[in-house]
């Protein structure tokens, strides 16, 4: 069974549409497919015609306790020939919190373990992820060696995707398995110059990481969601159906290989250290240090510090010499460890804390 996670922390870029319609097209091609809805919003469940509020059981039962993994078959619903669903529900939003509070090492492994119990039953498991990189997405990434990142071409979204790819690369390193990541241009409207330019940039930037298939904007895709069926069964000749059929062919043709680790287009490997300057502002703190994987998590080790005042608050400037790469760090403010409040890029560490992420180019 090939497990593919559909991931992007950005909302509304076509994750659920891709999960459900790629699943439909693969099933129509005769592949046995399981859709795994890891999003508490349960959009994939709804898009496959199931009302999550009417279900007694969903993935929560599978993932909430270590012993739940054997329940996967029990909670799975048959949607169509070759197409099954492991449904979500609103209770899944409590799961994120529950797992965050646990100390059990298995908490990020549960989906992987559950899917292993059913690997003989399917050719593909497609995991629809929520629009964040929390413990539910982490469970999905641990379960998979292939990732599809839908990228909306109708808005400027490339920057966020590069960050996401870096985060996935980091997770891959930490998890200790490699992931093959591909970018899928979605919501493409070829009539606008902006979309054409964006697509050209995406192709230039991601090169062979980018699918040849492009998913065009197509109103029938929205309608199919409302009907609760994949588009290939609802409007098989619509552009949306043709695009997802093409994607299915492309996905089937990609043999699951020994992937190279997920990486955004990055710096030359021989590049030397860079001077990196970060600042922390606070009006109350009296001692601020920085610790990360670059200094073995020893606060301020190898770091030059300057303290200034900008009127209202004090500003701690930390100057580091770092070779190009991606680093995790936290501030230690009067002895309390915390993430960088000015950096939106952070990942949940294996012990549940939030580490800020910096990329040195
Ligand atoms: N190619 C398309 N053409 C037209 N509408 C689309 C297309 N792809 C997605 N949509 C619509 O855009 C909206 C967002 O898509 P979707 O729900 O798949 O995104 P998402 O990434 O799963 O969002 P979230 O992050 O909230 O889970 C939905 O209303 C969907 O029907
Ligand atoms: Mg979604």
């Amino acid at each position: 069974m090939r497990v593919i996670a559909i991931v992007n922390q950005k909302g509304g870029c076509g994750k659920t549409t891709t999960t459900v319609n790629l699943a439909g097209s693969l099933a129509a091609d005769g592949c046995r497919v399981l859709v795994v809805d890891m999003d508490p919003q349960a959009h994939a469940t709804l898009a496959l015609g199931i009302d999550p509020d009417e279900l007694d059981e969903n993935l929560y039962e599978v993932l909430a306790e270590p012993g739940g993994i054997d329940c996967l078959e029990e909670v799975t619903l048959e949607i169509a020939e070759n197409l099954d669903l492991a449904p979500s529900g609103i209770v899944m939003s409590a799961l994120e919190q529950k797992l965050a509070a646990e100390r059990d090492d298995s908490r990020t492994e549960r989906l992987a373990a559950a899917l292993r119990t059913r690997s003989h039953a399917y050719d593909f498991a497609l995991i629809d992820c929520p629009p964040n990189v929390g413990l539910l997405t982490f469970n999905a990434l641990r379960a998979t060696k292939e990732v599809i990142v839908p990228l909306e071409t109708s808005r400027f979204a490339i920057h966020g995707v590069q960050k996401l790819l870096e985060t996935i690369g980091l997770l891959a390193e930490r998890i200790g398995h490699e992931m093959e990541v591909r970018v899928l241009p979605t919501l493409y409207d070829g009539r606008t110059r902006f979309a054409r330019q964006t697509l050209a940039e995406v192709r230039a930037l991601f090169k062979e990481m980018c699918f040849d298939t492009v998913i065009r904007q197509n109103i029938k895709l929205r309608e199919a969601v409302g009907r609760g069926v994949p588009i290939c069964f609802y409007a098989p000749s619509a552009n949306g159906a043709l695009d997802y059929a093409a994607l299915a062919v492309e996905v089937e043709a990609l043999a699951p290989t020994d992937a190279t680790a997920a990486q955004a287009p990055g710096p030359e490997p021989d590049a030397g250290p860079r001077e990196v300057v970060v600042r922390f502002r606070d009006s109350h703190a009296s001692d601020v240090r920085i610790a990360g994987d670059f200094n073995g998590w020893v606060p301020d080790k190898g770091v030059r510090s300057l303290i200034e005042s900008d009127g209202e608050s004090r500003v701690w400037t930390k100057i580091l010499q770092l070779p190009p790469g991606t680093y995790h760090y936290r501030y230690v403010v009067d002895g309390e460890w915390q993430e960088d409040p000015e950096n939106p890029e952070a990942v949940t560490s294996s012990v549940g804390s939030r580490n800020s992420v910096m990329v040195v180019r």
Side-chain angles (χ1 to χ4, degrees), residues 208-240:
E208 68 285 353
M209 280 174 69
C210 190
F211 279 106
D212 292 336
T213 304
V214 173
I215 308 298
R216 289 167 286 183
Q217 275 188 20
N218 182 220
I219 192 70
K220 294 277 180 210
L221 284 165
R222 275 178 209 265
E223 289 174 16
V225 169
R227 298 290 176 103
V229 281
I231 193 164
C232 60
F233 303 129
Y234 168 65
S237 57
N239 280 347

Side-chain angles (χ1 to χ4, degrees), residues 43 58 77 93 100-101 121 129 150 155 168 177 190 213 220-221 223 244 293 306 310 326-327 337 342:
H43 288 165
N58 57 37
L77 306 170
S93 56
C129 291
R155 283 195 273 164
I168 292 173
H177 79 227
T213 304
K220 294 277 180 210
L221 284 165
E223 289 174 16
Y244 278 107
D293 43 13
L306 300 173
D310 70 357
T326 304
Y327 300 93
W337 291 66
E342 291 184 16

Side-chain angles (χ1 to χ4, degrees), residues 19-29 33 35 83 126 230-233:
T19 306
V20 165
N21 292 296
L22 175 58
S25 296
L26 288 169
D29 283 352
V33 185
V35 169
L83 182 58
L126 302 188
I231 193 164
C232 60
F233 303 129

Side-chain angles (χ1 to χ4, degrees), residues 61-78:
E61 272 66 41
V62 179
L63 303 171
E65 303 292 340
I69 57 169
D70 294 324
C71 299
L72 179 58
E73 184 175 3
E74 210 174 299
V75 308
T76 298
L77 306 170
E78 197 182 321

Side-chain angles (χ1 to χ4, degrees), residues 6 8-19 21 39 41 43-44 128-132 150 152 185-188 215-226 240 243-244:
I6 293 74
N8 191 338
Q9 81 275 37
K10 195 173 163 302
C13 58
K15 293 182 288 294
T16 303
T17 304
T18 296
T19 306
N21 292 296
D39 186 351
Q41 301 178 97
H43 288 165
D128 188 24
C129 291
N132 58 56
E152 194 179 342
T186 59
L187 285 148
Y188 180 70
I215 308 298
R216 289 167 286 183
Q217 275 188 20
N218 182 220
I219 192 70
K220 294 277 180 210
L221 284 165
R222 275 178 209 265
E223 289 174 16
V225 169
D243 292 346
Y244 278 107

Side-chain angles (χ1 to χ4, degrees), residues 123-197:
D123 300 304
F124 289 92
L126 302 188
I127 310 174
D128 188 24
C129 291
N132 58 56
V133 188
L135 280 163
L136 296 178
T137 299
F138 205 91
N139 255 279
L141 292 174
R142 284 202 94 127
T144 188
K145 289 197 170 156
E146 293 177 76
V147 175
I148 295 178
V149 179
L151 176 54
E152 194 179 342
T153 51
S154 57
R155 283 195 273 164
F156 188 76
I158 295 176
H159 182 69
V161 165
Q162 268 184 289
K163 293 267 183 197
L164 176 71
L165 298 185
E166 281 152 9
T167 306
I168 292 173
L170 277 174
L171 291 176
E173 246 172 59
R174 186 128 43 89
I175 291 165
H177 79 227
E178 294 178 336
M179 279 183 265
E180 192 144 5
V181 181
R182 290 191 191 83
V183 170
L184 175 69
T186 59
L187 285 148
Y188 180 70
D189 179 357
R191 290 167 305 182
T192 71
R193 185 132 63 99
F194 180 81
R196 291 196 301 272
Q197 273 173 355

